[in-house]
Amino acid sequence: MIATGTRTFHFEPKMVAGAIALAFLMLLAGGALFSLGFEASRDTNAAFAGFDAYLWRVARFTLWQALLSTVLSVGLALPVARALHAHQHFMGRAFVFRLFALPLALPALVAVLGITSIYGRNGLIAHASQSLGFGFIPDIYGISGILLAHVFFNLPLAVRFMLVGLDSIPADYWKLSAQLGMGGGTRFRLIEWPAIARNLPGIMGLIFMLCVTSFTIVLTLGGGPRATTLEVAIYQALAFDFDIGRAVALTLTQLTLTLAILSLFRLTGRPTEEGFSLAVTTRRYEKFGAGERLVNTAIILLALFFVALPLAGTVVSGLAADLGRLMSERVVWRAISTSLVLGATAAFVSVLLSLALVAGREAVAANRKAGIKRSLVGIGSLFERALDTGASLILVVPPIIIGAGWFILLRHFGDPFGFAPWMVISVNAAMAMPFAVQILRPTWDTASARHNRLCAQLGITGWTRLRVVDWPVLRRPLGVAFAFAMALSLGDLGTIALFGSDAVQTLPYLLLQRMGSYRTLDAAGLALILGVLSLGLMMLADRGSKRAEPAESMR
Amino acid sequence: MIPVKFLAFAAVALLGLAAPAAAKDTLTIYTYESFTAEWGPGPKVKENFEKQCDCTIEWVAATDGVALLNRLKLEGQSTKADIVLGLDTNLVTEARQSGLFAPHGIDTSDINVPGGFEDDIFVPYDYGYFAVVYNSEKLANPPTSMKELVEGDASQKIVIEDPRTSTPGLGLLLWVKAIYGDNAAGAWDKLRHRVLTVAPGWAEAYGLFLRGEAPMVLSYTTSPAFHIIVDKEDLYKAAAFAEGQYLQIELAGTTVNGTKNPLAAKFLTFMTGPGFQDVIPETNWMFPAGKTSKPLNPAFDTLVKPTKILMLQPDDIAKNRKAWIDEWLAAMSK
Amino acid sequence: MTDKTGGAKVALEEVRFSYGEMRMHFDLSVPAAQIAAIIGPSGSGKSTLLNLIAGFETPQSGTIHIGHMNVTRTPPAERPVSMVFQENNLFAHLDVEANIALGRSPKLKLTAADRAAVESAIARVGLAGKEKRKPQALSGGEKQRVAIARALVRNRPVLLLDEAFASLGPALRIQMLDLIKALHAETAMTVLMVTHHPEDALHLDAALIFLENGVVAASGSASDLLSDKGPEALKRYMGTTA
């Protein structure tokens, strides 16, 4: 029997796990901010300069470019996701998917150089136009370059997340659409948009946060100091002016502004009523006309070129490097193994904590739906919200702030450099969590809704449930989340740069080092190695999880 | 059971990353990371010094000179550093005010830097001049003065660094200030049109330059030497400016803690001699500040020699840096 | 409001189709204005048969005729059929009226005639007064009535029901069957329904098509087939042989 009479708040282990995961994030960010705040308050001449005109401008620009980047990324991702979903079977579809995970794994600098190799003044387009006799030289330095780079990073991400939404559409809808003869526009309005809109606030929030904290891209491609983000100001305050108080105040400003925008997204993108069954299938029943087929093909090809060209630029310049010599260098191998070990550990921690977060949120939500005592509703929904969006806010706490804060704290407990690997793992794990959560949540929530009652009735709990019921379903998204988190960590530079001790030399660190001492070719070669590692990871994740896919699609 | 095995493996790997401290007498030197990189001066300097002192040098690397000083400030009196190597003239005043450094008390007669540099705390180990480096194939008529750079053809672009986030960026700011004084804002307002972009650091700027995004970049007069000696390539040249080049001197100093370690003074003295100085030119790509045992690679003789040496007073820099950066921001953001 | 559409004959000739390991071979004909119930064990190809007729699947060989029209390669929207599924017939964010109106215009651009047709269909399936409700405010039976109303406004000669009433209770199911019966009497459309309840066929006085392993194992009038004289395979399926 399922309890229906008196409803009490059930504290389940899942909620405790979720709380622990949340506590980890809060401790990581809060501890650093607290430590810095304390340090600043001890410093007598930390006269915190008010919010002057410069900062107003910086804050405005930060939000403006991030909003624009988000809208563009999401807007352009829509047709791509639709086209990719409409055509479930074509040669190279899997490759497109893996490729789309790659930009995120690239350090910003590598991506910037990849983009200039295509759209730059000396890039492919400039050369092509010149050899064809046009005098056209693209000028990307300015807002256009920033947007280009942000879309390059985030469009593939948005496409991947939107496809998850599209996959949740029941097959009957596609049949209905085919039978009623819906055109592209109607199909979008009635079927696809509602499915995508459910996840849209989450997707937009994630992309927005990534763009808010953009640093290298904004400065390098921005064309001048008019393009300055709060992240730059924070870096300047902490690293150049050594004004800790100001750095903390700016970080809090960034957090507040982001939070405000995120709630705005939530308002506009109110989740539509759920009316979907749980049967998930990726079959499409429409017979697309030649016109639509052509348009879809064009869209997919365009998106593919857009993402692949800068990557190809990276590969081409990487191949010019003396790869043989690079691969025979001990430091390179050490950097590769350090990167892999740190990345894998961070990814493992990240996925584990994300799972705890997702499970905790679902448990709280399930409790709420069951109708608990009124007094607890407030706390419950607040907790649910914290588990939901609160976690992703970690993205807008600059790694340099976390690093510096913990550096000051850890100093009291021993050599801060001794903690460096653990800090790198913690920060990378935390930064990858919002992504892992987005990947894990839909499957977890669906699976729970499907299995909770059954398991309760059969008395399948704890470890057994995880092994027998959840693992087979979660294996695939877990693999994808792991690969994503690891790729993200592989490309991370921010955290390591601060602790920057020789003890932790990762691949991107080595790359920037070589670049900083004229070894541009070496750097290009290392970028190629990094890219190949990430792509390999994606393929492994796909292959590893495919084996576990249940053959339930057979009827 | 894979996760458990994996964790064990990871733990071992992580523990292995933190190298254990050696039992011998140790000298801890904080420096910037390109110094300790395996193609930088660090390894050779370490080898040469350890040969004569029967001790161990332990390097601790920060991103750059600014990060170096910040780390030291964060650590305060409890710092492990005996010596800090890699500050420059722009940071001297701030470093002195931190009260974390002690007088060196060594004989600096071997040190010879342009314009002379006398200080009781900091000892120069190398120097260089900021310069506009250009691609001679793409730029037939490079600017011969700052005036020409500022007022020249706006279609010929230059990549510069941001003074808010990088040392060369601050260098250019001071260079323009040294030439134009109170009219600096006006100069920036014109130069703005030639600036392709303002990169966060030297690596980004030079990367864009080498990729052909712009024919000019702000770098050092010594940059071409690297391309000649390592790449066997003489495409890249530094432009000599009629008004003169801005000088950057790199310095080392002993911390208050370091005075307790007899190795610290020994190292500073070693630093002024050939065991250290011979290594500098072709690893740090700067001019040696002290005595070398042999002449420099002839490639260094082909480099432009500044007609005049420019440098602002460290105290003035410390006092005005913020105002000057604001001025730069205002002019560049129009 | 009695658009006597009249039914159309549905005929499958030598239609071959395979789904994974399962090979199917259909050769059958349902006369115009007939009601046919398709029964058979799960996995016998019932839903696939409807999918083939509706055009969601394309046969590997063979031809499908509806009326005089060869529809073997015709896209679903151009076939003279309407289909009602077990669930997910309605769009959650559209109200009853709009969900039905989709049958007239997928873009929801309605003429006065369309509106009248929708209104009448709502009345005919007994949902008057509930035009503005969203699906979540409807019972399971009501949702299926909306789906049937949509099929009505589409005015196609063939109606396919894919276990459309399987999730409804017995009384509700009978009600829905009565509705189908009444509508059939009114429009004389051809109805093919997949069901797990052979008694549905008796209730509707329908023809029965019994599928097994992807082929038609038996067909005829329901009362004949379900009697003692019926074929062995059907009895095994019914559980009436010892």
Side-chain angles (χ1 to χ4, degrees), chain A residues 19 69 81 147 152 157 163 188 191 233 261 271 275 296-297 322 330 332 364 406 409 420 441 529 550:
Chain A
S69 303
L147 295 179
F152 168 74
L157 187 71
L163 279 169
F188 174 67
I191 304 181
I261 298 283
N296 281 343
T297 311
D322 190 347
R330 269 197 57 206
V332 173
V364 176
W406 280 97
L409 264 184
R441 214 183 111 180
I529 295 174

Side-chain angles (χ1 to χ4, degrees), chain A residues 141 220 239 411 498 500 514 518, chain B residues 38 61 70-71 74 197 213:
Chain A
Y141 297 91
T220 312
R411 187 173 56 149
L498 187 95
R514 299 248 157 146
Y518 296 102
Chain B
E38 89 277 22
N70 284 338
R71 172 161 302 163
L74 281 176
T197 194
E213 284 298 292

Side-chain angles (χ1 to χ4, degrees), chain B residues 63-186:
Chain B
T63 324
D64 56 19
V66 184
L68 195 57
L69 185 57
N70 284 338
R71 172 161 302 163
L72 204 68
K73 284 184 182 169
L74 281 176
E75 293 179 347
Q77 296 294 350
S78 65
T79 181
K80 282 202 311 174
D82 295 313
I83 281 181
V84 175
L85 185 147
L87 304 175
D88 71 4
T89 29
N90 299 331
L91 294 168
V92 161
T93 306
E94 237 182 283
R96 192 197 311 277
Q97 279 165 357
S98 72
L100 296 169
F101 291 91
H104 54 73
I106 63 156
D107 173 19
T108 58
S109 57
D110 279 347
I111 293 292
N112 181 21
V113 293
F117 183 89
E118 282 297 327
D119 196 273
D120 60 333
I121 291 178
F122 298 103
V123 184
Y125 63 88
D126 66 15
Y127 66 91
Y129 306 99
F130 291 115
V132 169
V133 171
Y134 64 96
N135 182 332
S136 61
E137 211 169 62
K138 293 198 169 168
L139 200 64
N141 301 305
T144 59
S145 65
M146 185 63 87
K147 191 171 178 330
E148 274 189 36
L149 176 71
V150 168
E151 294 168 7
D153 179 6
S155 71
Q156 297 295 340
K157 300 284 185 191
I158 181 171
V159 182
I160 65 170
E161 293 86 349
D162 198 315
R164 294 171 296 173
T165 51
S166 80
T167 312
L170 187 60
L172 179 62
L173 181 94
L174 298 174
W175 192 0
V176 170
K177 197 78 202 169
I179 293 172
Y180 285 90
D182 291 344
N183 299 323

Side-chain angles (χ1 to χ4, degrees), chain A residues 37-59:
Chain A
F38 185 73
E39 186 78 13
S41 69
R42 285 195 320 170
D43 194 353
T44 42
N45 47 346
F48 166 56
F51 217 64
D52 52 23
Y54 167 64
L55 281 182
W56 263 120
R57 220 180 51 211
V58 168

Side-chain angles (χ1 to χ4, degrees), chain A residues 461-480:
Chain A
T461 54
W463 176 244
T464 319
R465 169 165 180 177
L466 198 68
R467 195 170 50 86
V468 179
V469 180
D470 294 330
W471 172 246
V473 187
L474 281 173
R475 190 173 154 159
R476 189 174 162 76
L478 277 176
V480 174

